Amino acid sequence: MEKVEDQNPQQEEDQVVNPWEVSAKDGGKIDYDKLIDKFGCQRLDQSFVDRVQRLTSRPPHVFLRRGVFFAHRDFNDILDAYERGQKFYLYTGRGPSSEALHLGHLIPFMFTKYLQDAFKVPLVIQLTDDEKCMWKNLSVEESQRLARENAKDIIACGFDISKTFIFSDFDYVGGAFYKNMVKVAKCVTYNKVVGIFGFTGEDHIGKVSFPPVQAVPSFPSSFPHLFSGKDDLRCLIPCAIDQDPYFRMTRDVAPRIGYHKPALIESLFFPALQGETGKMSASDPNSAIYVTDSAKDIKYKVNKHAFTGGQETIEKHRQYGANLEVDIPIKYLNFFLEDDAELEHIKKAYGAGRMLTGEVKKRLIEVLTEIVERHRRARAAVTDEMVDAFMAVRPLPNMFD
Amino acid sequence: MEKVEDQNPQQEEDQVVNPWEVSAKDGGKIDYDKLIDKFGCQRLDQSFVDRVQRLTSRPPHVFLRRGVFFAHRDFNDILDAYERGQKFYLYTGRGPSSEALHLGHLIPFMFTKYLQDAFKVPLVIQLTDDEKCMWKNLSVEESQRLARENAKDIIACGFDISKTFIFSDFDYVGGAFYKNMVKVAKCVTYNKVVGIFGFTGEDHIGKVSFPPVQAVPSFPSSFPHLFSGKDDLRCLIPCAIDQDPYFRMTRDVAPRIGYHKPALIESLFFPALQGETGKMSASDPNSAIYVTDSAKDIKYKVNKHAFTGGQETIEKHRQYGANLEVDIPIKYLNFFLEDDAELEHIKKAYGAGRMLTGEVKKRLIEVLTEIVERHRRARAAVTDEMVDAFMAVRPLPNMFD
């Protein structure tokens, strides 16, 4: 029995987590255990990591090993079906609100690329240019331009064009997709979306009517050019846990209109440089590492702005060691340093005071610089023609091979 | 200064007129003067009838001469622009909720055909299959089937295929149309639609999000295959006055997103056979004349069910004459008997008691039978290929000739 959380998040006393706001009580850290309990999803434990390794015959992604993706809904059903020889498809997305992505934005795409490669399954990527036009003060044209720019960064993550369909809502909504939107909308009252998303009467009706747009890529019939006659295909959605409200709603509606509930695999939030209580913000470029940052930018930001758990003086540091619980360089290495043994070594030495903050930062700068440089090179190779090719409404003949 | 009526119609004490409900106080007659005042539209007086005749060099339609279209918004602007050599386009629509239309359903289409012919302008006809799917308990498939059936009845009214584009929302919404929907939605709060349409929290969100769908055919940019580069083209909407709430909303939003306010020309309601206090109802086939009725059906319904203002006995009738104010045969003849002199004669003789109810009914049966027979023949000649041709997304090269 799944818990469906319907309390207006605006009225909660402690932490607020919804697609537009993530904040903890008194500016503290997000309590993820509490979030799992409140949302009614499940913790993704080691048995899942082992099972994915066994089923795909490849090492589990670092985000899976390290608990970056830490929660799920019905991921077991997806794996059960896969074990029986039934494939699924992946659905993820991005709201194109800014020109340059930061590392936090890349996380779902890096992980989704791994899932696509490991399970050999098709993928649909929704660019919610309509949402950003409605929520932010962006014109239709600017939202569409950002969608294409963001598509280039997404393609640069290495997706297989023979298995991947990227679409902009403004371009693709209509036809089969729109019919599913209407079916979903019929099953959701205004009171219900107020409960799930916290809208008020002063919010414009575009906000009220958007949730079905994000719901329906969960249903294969929304993509007749891909999944015609495969209405029974299951869908797995990798996303950050702040998107859970959309899919609580979707899972509630799905059986009522004859579809499978989509499964979810959900990640932690990527912390701001200033620490887990800070928020990465487009208006504060020093709060995040952007994929457009130069090596010099990265070095400066990490050295100057990364919040650390190191002690004030070298003497104290040698004596007490670093507080790893709050240390941003360690948290970032946890996301991006592939080598488990090296990470373990750094945590041990740094925590015991044998390794200094400067040394950890130096290693982090190397790791981040390599990721960003690699992304920059890949992104530079993405042409407008490639964007058109990924976004063409077309069949994907060998998408399950 | 235009009055924008925002009171929740559900809370009004007297008559309720909105797209889903038309009812007068204590089951009495609709007070149209009050309605004009409440909605803030204008009465369409004789000067407009004369002006239309002068501008189009043809006799004004019987619905215009007899005050069936009795109210308007900015019709003067349309005529001013036309006089300066600027054309406009027409937009009307139908919610496909039933298989067979009744005569009341034909009124906007008969009038729109006249406007198209008289002004030589293009026309878009919206089939709101999404609305009916959302409001009625109809599946997507059934709504779409009814849309095509209704399209045949609409085509049978004689529209010029070289100037007419018929579209189903399920098929056409998307692209430019959807972008305009989002622009409109951004300008309308939930409180606003509650004020205009009387939604409650228990209504599903499809209802809340539908008004922009009916709003945007008012903007030429929603039809790039027709009006590309003509964003300045004005739109005239012939409709029954119960659709006014949608266009009050549309007119409020239009200037905020850079478009002209659409103009309106609005009709009375077509009364039920049982009298103006009755309601034509799909569940009571005797309340209306359907375009599928046989000559025998029409004769039976008029003789048996038409409410009359005649007296109980011939003696009394000869003495007092008929009460024309409540007499349905006279009201129907007012809509459908083209000959002004003959109508005048009948009203005079019947009102004075010289003509009996049976004689008036006999004339009405002739008039209605001819209309229905003519429609049936025209409808039988409409093929599926013609429906496809009218509904093809295509340019209309000579639409203003």
Side-chain angles (χ1 to χ4, degrees):
Chain A
M1 176 72 192
E2 179 168 33
K3 186 177 167 192
V4 176
E5 170 60 45
D6 262 7
Q7 294 313 302
N8 183 334
Q10 312 267 335
Q11 294 169 349
E12 287 292 309
E13 280 163 27
D14 51 0
Q15 54 193 4
V16 175
V17 174
N18 65 43
W20 312 286
E21 189 182 354
V22 174
S23 65
K25 195 180 183 176
D26 305 328
K29 283 165 63 172
I30 295 292
D31 182 333
Y32 286 106
D33 285 324
K34 225 174 186 174
L35 208 55
I36 282 180
D37 189 46
K38 178 170 176 257
F39 282 3
C41 37
Q42 282 92 48
R43 194 164 261 287
L44 197 107
D45 62 25
Q46 186 61 35
S47 71
F48 280 95
V49 182
D50 297 340
R51 196 172 177 205
V52 168
Q53 174 154 25
R54 189 163 52 77
L55 285 174
T56 64
S57 310
R58 64 168 72 194
H61 193 275
V62 61
F63 293 164
L64 204 54
R65 298 201 308 270
R66 306 261 172 82
V68 170
F69 281 79
F70 74 108
H72 77 99
R73 291 180 188 265
D74 288 350
F75 189 39
N76 43 333
D77 288 348
I78 291 282
L79 297 179
D80 288 349
Y82 189 81
E83 196 154 24
R84 291 194 303 271
Q86 293 165 16
K87 297 268 182 159
F88 56 93
Y89 75 102
L90 295 160
Y91 154 37
T92 192
R94 158 141 188 86
S97 57
S98 62
E99 187 107 24
L101 307 192
H102 57 57
L103 291 179
H105 293 138
L106 287 189
I107 285 170
F109 294 108
M110 293 167 111
F111 189 63
T112 302
K113 169 173 164 47
Y114 151 77
L115 290 173
Q116 179 178 64
D117 290 349
F119 289 98
K120 299 182 177 55
V121 285
L123 162 65
V124 297
I125 301 176
Q126 179 179 42
L127 302 173
T128 55
D129 45 6
D130 54 345
E131 180 204 12
K132 288 307 167 189
C133 170
M134 288 193 284
W135 258 267
K136 308 269 173 182
N137 194 15
L138 292 179
S139 69
V140 170
E141 294 69 29
E142 178 65 0
S143 298
Q144 287 211 283
R145 192 184 69 78
L146 292 176
R148 277 186 73 90
E149 287 306 307
N150 287 187
K152 290 181 184 173
D153 278 304
I154 292 165
I155 292 168
C157 293
F159 292 105
D160 179 350
I161 193 168
S162 76
K163 292 188 170 58
T164 305
F165 173 51
I166 303 177
F167 64 98
S168 124
D169 283 345
F170 277 130
D171 289 337
Y172 186 70
V173 170
F177 195 98
Y178 179 65
K179 287 173 202 171
N180 274 336
M181 276 170 57
V182 169
K183 287 184 191 176
V184 171
K186 277 176 81 169
C187 295
V188 183
T189 64
Y190 179 74
N191 286 340
K192 183 94 182 169
V193 290
V194 166
I196 296 178
F197 298 102
F199 300 134
T200 75
E202 286 308 307
D203 278 313
H204 62 68
I205 58 173
K207 295 189 181 181
V208 177
S209 64
F210 178 72
V213 183
Q214 186 152 335
V216 304
S218 308
F219 309 134
S221 61
S222 299
F223 304 98
H225 60 291
L226 300 179
F227 308 128
S228 180
K230 296 189 176 72
D231 282 6
D232 227 35
L233 194 66
R234 286 174 191 276
C235 174
L236 173 64
I237 304 169
C239 62
I241 197 164
D242 62 327
Q243 300 298 303
D244 194 79
Y246 282 117
F247 302 115
R248 287 205 294 277
M249 187 197 85
T250 309
R251 288 166 53 85
D252 185 45
V253 168
R256 296 160 64 187
I257 56 177
Y259 298 123
H260 282 302
K261 292 181 179 194
L264 293 165
I265 181 163
E266 303 180 315
S267 74
L268 307 169
F269 305 118
F270 188 69
L273 272 175
Q274 284 75 5
E276 274 205 280
T277 62
K279 198 169 149 43
M280 282 188 291
S281 158
S283 60
D284 177 9
N286 288 322
S287 68
I289 305 292
Y290 285 84
V291 297
T292 45
D293 282 345
S294 67
K296 209 177 129 194
D297 294 333
I298 294 171
K299 189 173 174 183
Y300 170 80
K301 285 187 183 181
V302 170
N303 281 330
K304 173 91 180 171
H305 292 289
F307 185 85
T308 80
Q311 304 298 335
E312 292 152 46
T313 64
I314 293 191
E315 290 68 34
K316 276 195 180 170
H317 189 79
R318 295 290 185 207
Q319 188 176 352
Y320 301 111
N323 176 1
L324 303 188
E325 281 301 301
V326 300
D327 191 88
I328 286 296
I330 288 296
K331 287 186 190 296
Y332 277 32
L333 285 171
N334 187 60
F335 276 84
F336 293 120
L337 179 61
E338 292 267 355
D339 187 329
D340 292 341
E342 186 187 357
L343 181 68
E344 222 25 67
H345 165 77
I346 291 173
K347 283 164 78 174
K348 217 166 180 176
Y350 186 41
R354 292 194 305 277
M355 200 169 178
L356 296 179
T357 300
E359 297 172 83
V360 179
K361 283 187 168 178
K362 185 163 172 287
R363 184 68 184 112
L364 176 63
I365 290 164
E366 287 168 8
V367 169
L368 295 184
T369 303
E370 196 204 319
I371 289 172
V372 170
E373 291 291 333
R374 193 173 56 210
H375 184 84
R376 202 202 321 276
R377 282 192 303 274
R379 214 272 193 194
V382 178
T383 61
D384 274 310
E385 289 68 33
M386 282 168 73
V387 175
D388 291 340
F390 268 97
M391 297 183 74
V393 178
R394 67 204 192 277
L396 298 171
N398 305 310
M399 60 190 171
F400 291 114
D401 299 341
Chain B
M1 176 71 192
E2 179 168 36
K3 184 175 168 190
V4 175
E5 171 58 46
D6 261 10
Q7 294 313 302
N8 182 335
Q10 311 266 331
Q11 294 168 350
E12 287 292 309
E13 280 162 30
D14 52 1
Q15 56 192 4
V16 175
V17 174
N18 65 43
W20 311 286
E21 190 184 353
V22 174
S23 65
K25 196 180 183 177
D26 307 326
K29 282 165 65 173
I30 295 292
D31 182 334
Y32 287 104
D33 285 322
K34 224 173 184 177
L35 209 56
I36 283 180
D37 188 47
K38 177 169 176 256
F39 283 3
C41 37
Q42 282 92 47
R43 194 164 260 286
L44 197 106
D45 61 26
Q46 186 61 35
S47 71
F48 280 95
V49 182
D50 297 340
R51 194 170 178 205
V52 168
Q53 174 153 23
R54 189 163 50 77
L55 285 173
T56 63
S57 310
R58 62 169 72 195
H61 193 274
V62 60
F63 293 164
L64 205 55
R65 297 200 307 267
R66 304 262 172 83
V68 170
F69 281 79
F70 74 109
H72 76 100
R73 291 180 188 265
D74 287 352
F75 189 39
N76 43 333
D77 288 350
I78 291 281
L79 297 179
D80 287 349
Y82 189 81
E83 196 153 25
R84 290 193 304 271
Q86 293 165 17
K87 295 270 183 157
F88 56 91
Y89 74 102
L90 294 161
Y91 153 38
T92 191
R94 158 141 188 88
S97 58
S98 63
E99 188 107 25
L101 308 192
H102 57 58
L103 291 179
H105 293 137
L106 288 189
I107 286 170
F109 295 109
M110 295 167 110
F111 189 62
T112 302
K113 170 173 165 43
Y114 151 77
L115 290 173
Q116 179 179 64
D117 290 350
F119 289 98
K120 298 183 176 53
V121 285
L123 161 66
V124 297
I125 300 176
Q126 179 178 43
L127 302 173
T128 57
D129 44 6
D130 55 345
E131 181 204 13
K132 288 307 167 188
C133 171
M134 288 193 283
W135 258 266
K136 308 272 173 181
N137 194 16
L138 292 179
S139 69
V140 170
E141 295 69 29
E142 179 64 1
S143 298
Q144 287 210 283
R145 191 185 68 78
L146 293 177
R148 276 187 73 90
E149 287 307 306
N150 288 186
K152 290 181 184 173
D153 278 305
I154 292 166
I155 292 168
C157 292
F159 292 105
D160 178 350
I161 195 168
S162 76
K163 292 187 170 60
T164 305
F165 173 50
I166 303 177
F167 64 99
S168 123
D169 283 346
F170 277 130
D171 289 336
Y172 186 71
V173 171
F177 195 98
Y178 179 65
K179 287 173 204 171
N180 273 337
M181 276 170 57
V182 169
K183 287 184 190 175
V184 171
K186 279 176 81 168
C187 295
V188 182
T189 65
Y190 179 73
N191 286 341
K192 184 93 183 170
V193 289
V194 166
I196 297 178
F197 298 103
F199 300 135
T200 76
E202 285 309 306
D203 278 313
H204 63 68
I205 58 173
K207 295 189 182 182
V208 177
S209 63
F210 177 72
V213 182
Q214 187 152 334
V216 304
S218 309
F219 309 134
S221 61
S222 298
F223 305 97
H225 59 290
L226 299 180
F227 307 129
S228 180
K230 295 191 176 72
D231 283 7
D232 228 35
L233 194 65
R234 286 174 191 275
C235 174
L236 173 64
I237 305 169
C239 63
I241 197 163
D242 61 326
Q243 300 299 303
D244 194 80
Y246 282 117
F247 302 113
R248 288 204 293 276
M249 188 197 84
T250 310
R251 288 167 53 87
D252 185 45
V253 168
R256 296 160 65 187
I257 57 178
Y259 297 123
H260 282 301
K261 293 182 178 191
L264 293 165
I265 181 162
E266 302 179 316
S267 73
L268 307 168
F269 306 118
F270 188 68
L273 271 174
Q274 284 75 5
E276 274 205 281
T277 63
K279 199 171 148 42
M280 281 188 291
S281 158
S283 61
D284 178 8
N286 287 323
S287 67
I289 305 292
Y290 287 85
V291 295
T292 46
D293 283 344
S294 67
K296 209 176 128 193
D297 293 333
I298 294 170
K299 190 172 173 185
Y300 171 80
K301 285 186 183 182
V302 170
N303 281 331
K304 173 92 178 172
H305 293 289
F307 184 84
T308 78
Q311 304 298 336
E312 292 152 46
T313 62
I314 293 192
E315 291 66 34
K316 275 195 180 171
H317 188 81
R318 295 290 186 205
Q319 187 175 355
Y320 301 110
N323 176 1
L324 302 188
E325 282 300 301
V326 300
D327 191 89
I328 286 295
I330 289 295
K331 287 187 188 296
Y332 277 31
L333 286 171
N334 187 59
F335 277 84
F336 293 120
L337 179 61
E338 293 267 355
D339 187 328
D340 292 341
E342 186 186 355
L343 181 66
E344 221 28 64
H345 166 78
I346 292 174
K347 283 165 77 173
K348 218 166 179 178
Y350 187 39
R354 293 194 304 277
M355 201 169 176
L356 296 179
T357 300
E359 296 173 81
V360 179
K361 282 186 169 179
K362 184 163 175 283
R363 184 68 184 113
L364 176 63
I365 290 165
E366 287 168 7
V367 168
L368 295 183
T369 303
E370 196 204 320
I371 289 172
V372 169
E373 290 292 333
R374 194 173 57 211
H375 184 84
R376 201 202 323 277
R377 282 192 302 274
R379 215 270 193 194
V382 178
T383 61
D384 274 310
E385 290 67 33
M386 281 168 73
V387 175
D388 291 340
F390 269 97
M391 297 184 75
V393 179
R394 67 202 192 279
L396 298 172
N398 306 312
M399 60 190 170
F400 291 113
D401 299 343

